[in-house]
Coordinates of all heavy atoms in Angstrom, one line a residue:
I19 N -12.3 -88.9 122.9 CA -13.7 -89.3 123.0 C -14.0 -90.1 121.7 O -13.7 -89.6 120.6 CB -14.7 -88.1 123.1 CG1 -14.5 -87.5 124.5 CG2 -16.1 -88.7 122.9 CD1 -15.4 -86.3 124.6
E20 N -14.5 -91.3 121.8 CA -14.9 -92.0 120.6 C -16.4 -92.2 120.6 O -17.0 -92.6 121.5 CB -14.2 -93.4 120.6 CG -14.5 -94.2 119.3 CD -13.6 -95.5 119.3 OE1 -12.4 -95.5 119.7 OE2 -14.2 -96.5 119.0
V21 N -17.0 -91.8 119.4 CA -18.5 -91.9 119.2 C -18.7 -92.9 118.1 O -18.2 -92.7 117.0 CB -19.1 -90.5 118.9 CG1 -20.6 -90.7 118.7 CG2 -18.8 -89.6 120.1
G22 N -19.5 -93.9 118.4 CA -19.8 -94.8 117.4 C -21.2 -94.7 116.7 O -22.0 -93.8 117.3
K23 N -21.5 -95.2 115.6 CA -22.8 -95.1 115.1 C -23.9 -95.9 115.9 O -23.5 -96.9 116.5 CB -22.9 -95.7 113.6 CG -22.0 -95.0 112.7 CD -21.9 -95.7 111.3 CE -21.0 -95.0 110.3 NZ -21.0 -95.5 109.1
A24 N -25.1 -95.4 116.0 CA -26.1 -96.0 116.7 C -27.3 -96.3 115.8 O -27.6 -95.5 114.9 CB -26.6 -95.2 117.8
D25 N -27.8 -97.5 115.9 CA -29.0 -97.9 115.1 C -30.2 -97.0 115.6 O -30.4 -96.7 116.8 CB -29.5 -99.3 115.3 CG -28.4 -100.2 114.7 OD1 -27.7 -99.8 113.6 OD2 -28.3 -101.4 115.1
Q26 N -31.1 -96.6 114.7 CA -32.3 -96.0 115.0 C -33.5 -96.8 114.6 O -33.4 -97.6 113.7 CB -32.4 -94.6 114.4 CG -31.3 -93.6 114.7 CD -31.5 -92.3 114.0 OE1 -32.5 -91.6 114.3 NE2 -30.6 -91.9 113.2
T27 N -34.7 -96.5 115.2 CA -35.9 -97.2 114.8 C -37.1 -96.1 114.8 O -37.0 -95.1 115.5 CB -36.2 -98.3 115.8 OG1 -36.4 -97.8 117.1 CG2 -35.2 -99.4 115.8
I28 N -38.0 -96.5 114.0 CA -39.3 -95.7 114.0 C -40.3 -96.7 114.4 O -40.4 -97.8 113.9 CB -39.6 -95.1 112.7 CG1 -38.6 -94.0 112.2 CG2 -41.0 -94.5 112.7 CD1 -38.8 -93.5 110.9
T29 N -41.2 -96.3 115.3 CA -42.2 -97.2 115.9 C -43.6 -96.5 115.5 O -43.8 -95.4 115.9 CB -42.1 -97.4 117.4 OG1 -40.9 -97.9 117.7 CG2 -43.2 -98.3 117.9
F30 N -44.5 -97.4 114.9 CA -45.9 -96.9 114.6 C -46.7 -97.6 115.6 O -46.7 -98.8 116.0 CB -46.3 -97.5 113.2 CG -46.1 -96.6 112.1 CD1 -45.1 -96.8 111.2 CD2 -46.9 -95.5 111.9 CE1 -44.9 -96.0 110.1 CE2 -46.7 -94.6 110.8 CZ -45.7 -94.9 109.9
P31 N -47.7 -96.9 116.2 CA -48.7 -97.5 117.1 C -49.6 -98.3 116.2 O -49.7 -98.1 115.0 CB -49.5 -96.3 117.7 CG -49.2 -95.1 116.9 CD -47.9 -95.4 116.1
V32 N -50.4 -99.2 116.8 CA -51.4 -99.9 116.0 C -52.4 -99.1 115.4 O -52.9 -98.2 116.1 CB -52.1 -101.1 117.0 CG1 -53.2 -101.7 116.2 CG2 -51.0 -102.0 117.4
I33 N -52.7 -99.2 114.1 CA -53.7 -98.4 113.5 C -54.8 -99.3 113.2 O -54.7 -100.4 112.4 CB -53.2 -97.7 112.3 CG1 -52.2 -96.6 112.7 CG2 -54.3 -97.0 111.5 CD1 -51.4 -95.9 111.6
S34 N -56.0 -99.2 113.6 CA -57.2 -100.0 113.3 C -57.5 -99.9 111.8 O -57.1 -98.9 111.2 CB -58.3 -99.8 114.3 OG -58.7 -98.4 114.0
S35 N -58.4 -100.8 111.4 CA -58.8 -100.7 110.0 C -59.5 -99.4 109.8 O -60.1 -98.8 110.7 CB -59.7 -101.9 109.5 OG -60.8 -101.9 110.4
A36 N -59.6 -98.9 108.5 CA -60.2 -97.6 108.2 C -61.1 -97.8 107.0 O -60.8 -98.7 106.1 CB -59.2 -96.5 108.0
T37 N -62.1 -97.0 106.9 CA -63.0 -96.9 105.7 C -63.1 -95.6 105.2 O -63.1 -94.6 106.0 CB -64.4 -97.5 106.1 OG1 -64.3 -98.8 106.6 CG2 -65.4 -97.5 105.0
Y38 N -63.2 -95.4 103.9 CA -63.3 -94.0 103.3 C -64.6 -93.4 103.9 O -65.6 -94.0 104.1 CB -63.6 -94.1 101.8 CG -63.8 -92.8 101.2 CD1 -63.1 -91.7 101.4 CD2 -64.9 -92.7 100.3 CE1 -63.3 -90.5 100.8 CE2 -65.2 -91.4 99.8 CZ -64.3 -90.4 99.9 OH -64.6 -89.1 99.4
G39 N -64.4 -92.2 104.5 CA -65.5 -91.5 105.2 C -65.2 -91.4 106.6 O -65.8 -90.6 107.4
D40 N -64.3 -92.3 107.2 CA -63.9 -92.3 108.6 C -63.2 -90.9 108.8 O -62.7 -90.2 107.9 CB -62.9 -93.4 108.9 CG -63.6 -94.7 109.1 OD1 -64.8 -94.7 109.0 OD2 -62.9 -95.7 109.2
G41 N -63.1 -90.4 110.0 CA -62.5 -89.2 110.4 C -61.0 -89.4 110.3 O -60.5 -90.4 110.0
P42 N -60.2 -88.3 110.5 CA -58.8 -88.3 110.5 C -58.2 -89.3 111.5 O -58.8 -89.5 112.5 CB -58.4 -86.8 110.8 CG -59.6 -86.0 110.6 CD -60.8 -87.0 110.8
I43 N -57.0 -89.8 111.1 CA -56.3 -90.7 111.9 C -55.0 -90.1 112.4 O -54.1 -89.8 111.5 CB -56.0 -92.1 111.1 CG1 -57.4 -92.7 110.7 CG2 -55.1 -93.0 112.0 CD1 -57.2 -93.8 109.7
T44 N -54.8 -90.1 113.7 CA -53.4 -89.6 114.1 C -52.4 -90.8 114.0 O -52.7 -91.9 114.6 CB -53.5 -89.1 115.6 OG1 -54.5 -88.1 115.7 CG2 -52.2 -88.6 116.1
L45 N -51.3 -90.5 113.3 CA -50.4 -91.6 113.1 C -49.5 -91.9 114.3 O -49.3 -93.0 114.7 CB -49.6 -91.2 111.8 CG -50.4 -91.1 110.5 CD1 -49.6 -90.6 109.4 CD2 -51.0 -92.5 110.2
G46 N -48.9 -90.9 114.9 CA -48.2 -91.0 116.1 C -46.9 -91.8 116.1 O -46.6 -92.4 117.2
A47 N -46.2 -91.9 115.0 CA -44.9 -92.6 115.0 C -43.9 -91.8 115.8 O -44.0 -90.6 115.8 CB -44.5 -92.7 113.5
T48 N -43.0 -92.6 116.4 CA -41.9 -92.0 117.2 C -40.6 -92.5 116.8 O -40.6 -93.7 116.3 CB -42.1 -92.2 118.7 OG1 -42.2 -93.6 119.0 CG2 -43.3 -91.5 119.2
A49 N -39.5 -91.8 116.8 CA -38.2 -92.2 116.5 C -37.4 -92.4 117.8 O -37.6 -91.7 118.7 CB -37.5 -91.1 115.6
S50 N -36.6 -93.4 117.8 CA -35.8 -93.8 118.9 C -34.8 -92.6 119.3 O -34.3 -92.4 120.4 CB -35.1 -95.1 118.7 OG -34.2 -94.9 117.6
S51 N -34.5 -91.8 118.3 CA -33.6 -90.6 118.4 C -34.3 -89.5 119.0 O -33.6 -88.5 119.4 CB -33.1 -90.2 117.0 OG -34.1 -89.8 116.1
S52 N -35.6 -89.6 119.2 CA -36.4 -88.4 119.7 C -36.5 -87.3 118.7 O -37.1 -86.3 119.1 CB -35.9 -87.9 121.0 OG -36.0 -88.9 122.1
L53 N -35.9 -87.4 117.5 CA -36.1 -86.4 116.5 C -37.5 -86.5 115.8 O -38.2 -87.5 115.8 CB -35.0 -86.6 115.4 CG -33.6 -86.3 115.9 CD1 -32.6 -86.8 114.9 CD2 -33.3 -84.9 116.2
P54 N -37.9 -85.4 115.2 CA -39.2 -85.4 114.6 C -39.4 -86.4 113.4 O -38.4 -86.7 112.8 CB -39.5 -84.0 114.1 CG -38.4 -83.1 114.8 CD -37.4 -84.1 115.1
V55 N -40.6 -87.0 113.3 CA -40.9 -87.9 112.3 C -41.7 -87.2 111.2 O -42.7 -86.4 111.5 CB -41.6 -89.1 112.8 CG1 -42.1 -90.1 111.7 CG2 -40.8 -89.9 113.9
S56 N -41.3 -87.4 110.0 CA -42.2 -86.8 108.8 C -42.8 -88.0 108.1 O -42.3 -89.1 108.1 CB -41.3 -85.9 108.0 OG -40.2 -86.7 107.4
Y57 N -43.8 -87.7 107.4 CA -44.7 -88.7 106.7 C -44.8 -88.4 105.1 O -44.9 -87.2 104.9 CB -46.0 -88.8 107.3 CG -46.1 -89.2 108.7 CD1 -46.1 -88.1 109.6 CD2 -46.1 -90.4 109.1 CE1 -46.2 -88.5 111.1 CE2 -46.1 -90.8 110.6 CZ -46.2 -89.7 111.4 OH -46.1 -90.1 112.8
S58 N -44.9 -89.4 104.4 CA -45.4 -89.2 103.0 C -46.4 -90.2 102.8 O -46.5 -91.2 103.4 CB -44.2 -89.4 102.0 OG -43.6 -90.6 102.1
V59 N -47.3 -89.9 101.8 CA -48.5 -90.9 101.5 C -48.5 -91.1 100.1 O -48.4 -90.2 99.3 CB -49.8 -90.2 102.0 CG1 -51.0 -91.1 101.7 CG2 -49.8 -90.0 103.5
T60 N -48.7 -92.4 99.7 CA -49.1 -92.8 98.3 C -50.4 -93.4 98.4 O -50.7 -94.3 99.2 CB -48.0 -93.8 97.8 OG1 -46.7 -93.2 97.9 CG2 -48.3 -94.2 96.3
G61 N -51.3 -93.0 97.5 CA -52.6 -93.6 97.5 C -53.7 -92.4 97.8 O -53.3 -91.3 98.0
P62 N -54.9 -92.9 98.1 CA -56.0 -91.9 98.3 C -56.0 -91.4 99.7 O -56.8 -91.7 100.5 CB -57.2 -92.7 98.0 CG -56.8 -94.1 98.3 CD -55.4 -94.2 98.0
G63 N -55.0 -90.6 100.0 CA -54.9 -90.0 101.4 C -54.0 -88.9 101.4 O -53.2 -88.6 100.5
S64 N -54.0 -88.1 102.5 CA -53.0 -87.0 102.6 C -52.7 -86.9 104.1 O -53.4 -87.4 105.0 CB -53.7 -85.6 102.2 OG -54.8 -85.3 102.9
V65 N -51.6 -86.3 104.4 CA -51.2 -86.3 105.8 C -50.7 -84.8 106.1 O -50.0 -84.3 105.2 CB -50.0 -87.3 106.2 CG1 -48.8 -87.0 105.4 CG2 -49.9 -87.4 107.6
S66 N -51.1 -84.3 107.2 CA -50.6 -83.0 107.7 C -50.4 -83.0 109.2 O -51.3 -83.5 109.9 CB -51.7 -81.9 107.2 OG -51.3 -80.7 107.7
N67 N -49.3 -82.5 109.7 CA -49.1 -82.5 111.0 C -49.3 -83.9 111.7 O -49.7 -84.0 112.8 CB -49.8 -81.5 111.7 CG -49.5 -80.1 111.3 OD1 -48.4 -79.8 111.1 ND2 -50.5 -79.2 111.1
G68 N -49.0 -85.0 111.1 CA -49.0 -86.3 111.6 C -50.5 -86.8 111.7 O -50.7 -87.8 112.3
V69 N -51.4 -86.2 110.9 CA -52.8 -86.7 110.9 C -53.0 -87.1 109.4 O -52.9 -86.4 108.5 CB -53.7 -85.6 111.3 CG1 -55.1 -86.1 111.3 CG2 -53.3 -85.3 112.8
L70 N -53.5 -88.4 109.3 CA -53.9 -88.9 108.0 C -55.4 -88.7 107.7 O -56.3 -89.0 108.5 CB -53.5 -90.5 107.9 CG -54.0 -91.2 106.7 CD1 -53.3 -90.8 105.4 CD2 -53.9 -92.7 106.9
T71 N -55.6 -88.1 106.5 CA -57.0 -88.0 106.1 C -57.2 -88.9 104.8 O -56.4 -88.8 103.8 CB -57.3 -86.6 105.6 OG1 -57.2 -85.7 106.8 CG2 -58.8 -86.4 105.2
I72 N -58.2 -89.8 104.9 CA -58.5 -90.7 103.8 C -59.3 -90.0 102.8 O -60.5 -89.4 103.1 CB -59.2 -92.0 104.3 CG1 -58.3 -92.7 105.3 CG2 -59.6 -92.9 103.1 CD1 -59.1 -93.8 106.1
T73 N -58.9 -89.9 101.5 CA -59.7 -89.1 100.5 C -60.4 -90.0 99.5 O -61.0 -89.5 98.5 CB -58.7 -88.2 99.8 OG1 -57.7 -88.9 99.2 CG2 -58.1 -87.2 100.8
G74 N -60.3 -91.3 99.6 CA -61.0 -92.3 98.6 C -60.7 -93.7 99.0 O -59.9 -94.0 100.0
A75 N -61.3 -94.7 98.3 CA -61.1 -96.0 98.5 C -59.8 -96.5 97.8 O -59.5 -95.9 96.8 CB -62.3 -96.9 98.1
G76 N -59.1 -97.6 98.4 CA -58.0 -98.2 97.7 C -56.9 -98.4 98.8 O -57.1 -98.4 100.0
S77 N -55.7 -98.7 98.3 CA -54.6 -98.9 99.2 C -53.8 -97.6 99.5 O -53.6 -96.9 98.6 CB -53.6 -99.9 98.6 OG -54.2 -101.2 98.5
I78 N -53.5 -97.3 100.7 CA -52.7 -96.2 101.1 C -51.4 -96.7 101.7 O -51.4 -97.6 102.6 CB -53.5 -95.4 102.2 CG1 -54.7 -94.9 101.6 CG2 -52.6 -94.3 102.7 CD1 -55.6 -94.1 102.6
V79 N -50.3 -96.2 101.3 CA -49.0 -96.5 102.0 C -48.5 -95.3 102.6 O -48.4 -94.2 102.0 CB -47.9 -97.0 100.8 CG1 -46.6 -97.2 101.6 CG2 -48.4 -98.2 100.1
V80 N -48.3 -95.4 103.9 CA -47.8 -94.2 104.7 C -46.3 -94.6 105.0 O -46.1 -95.6 105.6 CB -48.5 -94.0 106.0 CG1 -48.0 -92.9 106.8 CG2 -50.0 -93.8 105.7
T81 N -45.4 -93.7 104.7 CA -44.0 -93.9 105.0 C -43.5 -92.8 105.9 O -43.8 -91.6 105.8 CB -43.2 -93.8 103.7 OG1 -43.6 -94.8 102.8 CG2 -41.7 -94.0 104.0
A82 N -42.9 -93.2 107.1 CA -42.4 -92.4 108.0 C -40.8 -92.4 107.9 O -40.2 -93.3 107.6 CB -42.8 -92.8 109.4
S83 N -40.2 -91.2 108.0 CA -38.8 -91.1 108.0 C -38.4 -90.1 109.1 O -39.2 -89.3 109.6 CB -38.4 -90.7 106.7 OG -38.9 -89.4 106.3
C84 N -37.2 -90.2 109.4 CA -36.6 -89.3 110.4 C -35.4 -88.7 110.0 O -34.5 -89.4 109.5 CB -36.4 -90.1 111.7 SG -35.9 -89.2 113.1
A85 N -35.3 -87.3 110.1 CA -34.1 -86.6 109.7 C -33.0 -86.9 110.7 O -33.4 -87.3 111.9 CB -34.3 -85.1 109.6
C86 N -31.8 -86.7 110.4 CA -30.8 -87.0 111.5 C -29.9 -85.7 111.6 O -29.5 -85.1 110.7 CB -29.9 -88.1 111.0 SG -28.7 -88.7 112.2
A87 N -29.6 -85.4 112.9 CA -29.0 -84.1 113.2 C -27.5 -84.3 113.5 O -26.8 -83.3 114.0 CB -29.6 -83.4 114.4
V88 N -27.0 -85.5 113.4 CA -25.6 -85.8 113.5 C -24.8 -85.8 112.2 O -25.4 -86.0 111.1 CB -25.3 -87.1 114.3 CG1 -25.9 -87.0 115.7 CG2 -25.8 -88.3 113.5
P89 N -23.5 -85.5 112.2 CA -22.8 -85.5 110.9 C -22.8 -86.8 110.2 O -22.9 -87.9 110.8 CB -21.3 -85.3 111.4 CG -21.4 -84.7 112.8 CD -22.7 -85.3 113.3
R90 N -22.8 -86.8 108.9 CA -23.0 -87.9 108.0 C -22.0 -89.1 108.4 O -22.4 -90.2 108.4 CB -22.8 -87.5 106.5 CG -23.1 -88.7 105.6 CD -23.0 -88.3 104.2 NE -24.3 -87.6 103.7 CZ -25.4 -88.1 103.5 NH1 -25.6 -89.3 103.7 NH2 -26.5 -87.4 103.1
S91 N -20.8 -88.7 108.7 CA -19.8 -89.7 109.1 C -20.2 -90.5 110.3 O -19.7 -91.6 110.5 CB -18.4 -89.1 109.3 OG -18.5 -88.2 110.4
L92 N -21.0 -90.1 111.1 CA -21.5 -90.7 112.3 C -22.9 -91.4 112.2 O -23.2 -92.2 113.1 CB -21.4 -89.8 113.6 CG -20.1 -89.2 113.9 CD1 -20.2 -88.3 115.1 CD2 -19.0 -90.3 114.3
R93 N -23.5 -91.2 111.1 CA -24.9 -91.7 111.1 C -24.9 -93.2 110.7 O -24.0 -93.7 110.0 CB -25.6 -91.1 109.8 CG -25.9 -89.6 110.1 CD -26.7 -89.0 109.0 NE -26.5 -87.6 109.0 CZ -26.9 -86.7 108.0 NH1 -27.5 -87.3 106.9 NH2 -26.8 -85.5 108.1
G94 N -25.9 -93.8 111.2 CA -26.2 -95.2 110.7 C -26.9 -95.0 109.4 O -27.1 -93.9 108.9
A95 N -27.5 -96.1 108.9 CA -28.2 -96.1 107.6 C -29.5 -95.2 107.8 O -30.0 -95.2 109.0 CB -28.6 -97.5 107.2
P96 N -30.0 -94.5 106.9 CA -31.3 -93.8 107.0 C -32.4 -94.8 107.4 O -32.3 -95.8 107.0 CB -31.5 -93.1 105.7 CG -30.3 -93.5 104.8 CD -29.4 -94.4 105.5
I97 N -33.3 -94.3 108.2 CA -34.4 -95.2 108.5 C -35.8 -94.7 107.9 O -36.0 -93.5 107.8 CB -34.5 -95.2 110.1 CG1 -34.7 -93.9 110.7 CG2 -33.4 -96.0 110.6 CD1 -35.0 -93.9 112.2
F98 N -36.4 -95.7 107.4 CA -37.8 -95.5 106.9 C -38.6 -96.6 107.3 O -38.1 -97.8 107.5 CB -37.7 -95.5 105.3 CG -36.8 -94.4 104.7 CD1 -35.6 -94.6 104.4 CD2 -37.4 -93.1 104.6 CE1 -34.7 -93.7 103.9 CE2 -36.5 -92.2 104.0 CZ -35.2 -92.4 103.7
C99 N -39.9 -96.4 107.5 CA -40.8 -97.4 108.0 C -42.1 -97.1 107.2 O -42.6 -96.0 107.2 CB -41.0 -97.3 109.5 SG -42.1 -98.6 110.1
S100 N -42.7 -98.1 106.6 CA -44.0 -98.0 105.9 C -45.0 -98.9 106.5 O -44.8 -100.0 107.0 CB -43.8 -98.3 104.4 OG -42.9 -97.4 103.8
I101 N -46.3 -98.4 106.4 CA -47.4 -99.3 106.7 C -48.3 -99.2 105.5 O -48.4 -98.2 104.7 CB -48.1 -98.8 107.9 CG1 -48.6 -97.4 107.9 CG2 -47.4 -99.0 109.1 CD1 -49.6 -97.0 108.9
V102 N -49.0 -100.2 105.2 CA -49.9 -100.3 104.0 C -51.4 -100.5 104.6 O -51.6 -101.4 105.5 CB -49.7 -101.4 103.1 CG1 -50.7 -101.5 102.0 CG2 -48.2 -101.3 102.6
M103 N -52.3 -99.6 104.3 CA -53.7 -99.7 104.7 C -54.6 -100.0 103.5 O -54.4 -99.3 102.5 CB -54.1 -98.3 105.4 CG -53.3 -97.9 106.6 SD -53.7 -96.4 107.1 CE -55.4 -96.6 107.7
R104 N -55.5 -100.9 103.6 CA -56.5 -101.0 102.5 C -57.8 -100.4 103.0 O -58.2 -100.7 104.1 CB -56.8 -102.5 102.3 CG -55.5 -103.2 101.8 CD -55.9 -104.0 100.5 NE -54.7 -104.7 100.1 CZ -54.0 -104.3 99.1 NH1 -54.2 -103.2 98.5 NH2 -52.9 -105.0 98.7
V105 N -58.2 -99.5 102.3 CA -59.4 -98.6 102.6 C -60.5 -99.0 101.7 O -60.4 -98.9 100.4 CB -59.0 -97.2 102.5 CG1 -60.3 -96.4 102.8 CG2 -57.9 -96.8 103.4
G106 N -61.6 -99.5 102.2 CA -62.8 -99.9 101.3 C -63.9 -98.9 101.4 O -63.9 -98.0 102.1

């Protein structure tokens, strides 16, 4: 059996514009591998369980990443996807 590396992608749904004071935003990114997606946030926001809470005005960068459950020798490049939100 020969197994080759496969490309992976992370897909973000469209996120409408947001303003400080808006309610939480469900991020909903999915990985083509079907593995869980984790998030990190830079800027005036926080994320918990895939839900972004805006904590102030400014730019927010949300980065999604996906862990890989296959051996390193079979993995493609790690995948990361970022979106930038300007919050007024």
Side-chain angles (χ1 to χ4, degrees):
I19 296 175
E20 185 174 316
V21 178
K23 296 179 183 180
D25 291 333
Q26 296 185 62
T27 58
I28 294 177
T29 304
F30 269 105
V32 174
I33 297 175
S34 60
S35 61
T37 302
Y38 176 55
D40 286 353
I43 300 167
T44 300
L45 296 171
T48 57
S50 60
S51 63
S52 299
L53 293 169
V55 175
S56 60
Y57 302 94
S58 62
V59 176
T60 303
S64 63
V65 68
S66 177
N67 296 320
V69 177
L70 173 67
T71 300
I72 300 168
T73 59
S77 293
I78 299 174
V79 177
V80 178
T81 301
S83 60
C84 182
C86 191
V88 295
R90 183 173 288 284
S91 61
L92 297 178
R93 293 182 199 169
I97 55 172
F98 300 95
C99 182
S100 296
I101 58 170
V102 178
M103 300 175 65
R104 295 237 182 257
V105 179

